[in-house]
Amino acid sequence: MTGQVLCRLADLDATGAKEIVLDRDGARFPVFVVKWGARIFGYVNSCPHARLPLNWRDDVFLDISRTYVFCANHCAHFDVATGKCIRGPCKGQGLTPFPVRIDGDSILAAET
Ligand code: FES
């Protein structure tokens, strides 16, 4: 998976984030990348509260102010840069990082 192109930077323009469903040993492995200023972060799309996908709409992972990653299920808010839950039922827990890197106009998986 390392080095795999996940999407283009421009794919994040509409919502600030993009979900990519990868294949890991034949199983569905959903991750998302999110833009924070000039930086990009990646996380597994699984909320630490109930292990549900965070989003209800395609590629919508940020709250309305685009300040926090947001879980649509029970309104947990996560710091974009660290993935730590700062408000909601899983406060103090965190999203699972999925390291990514930028190469030109593409976002790539940095490691597995
Ligand atoms: S599943 Fe995310 S806050 Fe409950």
Side-chain angles (χ1 to χ4, degrees):
M1 209 175 289
T2 302
Q4 178 177 349
V5 175
L6 301 172
C7 64
R8 304 271 177 211
L9 280 169
D11 293 336
L12 280 65
D13 287 350
T15 65
K18 174 79 180 164
E19 182 176 31
I20 305 98
V21 179
L22 300 171
D23 180 299
R24 181 173 272 183
D25 300 325
R28 215 173 160 272
F29 185 65
V31 302
F32 66 98
V33 292
V34 57
K35 188 172 183 185
W36 183 248
R39 301 169 67 192
I40 303 290
F41 298 92
Y43 296 102
V44 177
N45 187 8
S46 177
C47 181
H49 176 223
R51 295 295 167 197
L52 297 169
L54 285 88
N55 61 315
W56 285 359
R57 295 190 301 158
D58 288 349
D59 302 327
V60 176
F61 290 90
L62 291 169
D63 71 329
I64 197 161
S65 67
R66 292 196 178 192
T67 305
Y68 298 103
V69 170
F70 177 76
C71 180
N73 297 291
H74 310 107
C75 303
H77 288 66
F78 301 87
D79 181 273
V80 176
T82 66
K84 185 173 180 181
C85 180
I86 52 90
R87 185 185 323 151
C90 46
K91 186 174 179 181
Q93 295 179 273
L95 300 171
T96 302
F98 183 78
V100 297
R101 64 184 172 88
I102 298 172
D103 185 4
D105 66 350
S106 296
I107 303 171
L108 287 73
E111 56 188 67
T112 56

